[in-house]
Amino acid sequence: MNVKKHLKQLVCPCKDCQKRHEKCHGSCDQYKNWDAEQKKLKAEMWKERKSEHEADERKKTAVRNYIRRKQQR
């Protein structure tokens, strides 16, 4: 089974953290590293989806143009 990168670490490192306190995200290096990695993975995921979506749109446009030209004959 191929697990996508963005699904590997969905749980924030703050869960069950003994050092956790109010507003600790600004000072916690572990959280900052996790957050940066999550943002990078999300950007990659959206980039993949965008390219898939653009290919679908090009295909739909080509089919629409083919049908329109066929009807004009």
Side-chain angles (χ1 to χ4, degrees):
M1 183 169 115
N2 187 9
V3 177
K4 293 193 176 194
K5 291 178 190 176
H6 66 277
L7 296 177
K8 285 186 179 178
Q9 291 184 324
L10 289 177
V11 179
C12 179
C14 301
K15 185 176 190 286
D16 300 328
C17 179
Q18 299 299 320
K19 299 177 184 177
R20 188 173 182 181
H21 58 86
E22 188 176 333
K23 300 180 182 180
C24 66
H25 286 173
S27 62
C28 179
D29 291 331
Q30 189 177 9
Y31 176 78
K32 288 178 183 179
N33 293 336
W34 177 83
D35 190 45
E37 183 67 25
Q38 288 299 108
K39 287 179 180 178
K40 188 186 335 175
L41 292 173
K42 285 181 183 180
E44 290 175 14
M45 180 182 68
W46 284 111
K47 186 177 178 182
E48 287 176 15
R49 288 186 179 176
K50 183 180 177 186
S51 65
E52 291 172 4
H53 180 69
E54 287 174 349
D56 289 342
E57 287 300 315
R58 284 192 302 268
K59 182 179 177 182
K60 285 179 187 177
T61 302
V63 169
R64 246 186 261 124
N65 289 339
Y66 173 78
I67 291 171
R68 185 173 44 97
R69 286 186 198 128
K70 193 173 180 181
Q71 289 174 346
Q72 288 177 352
R73 290 182 190 175

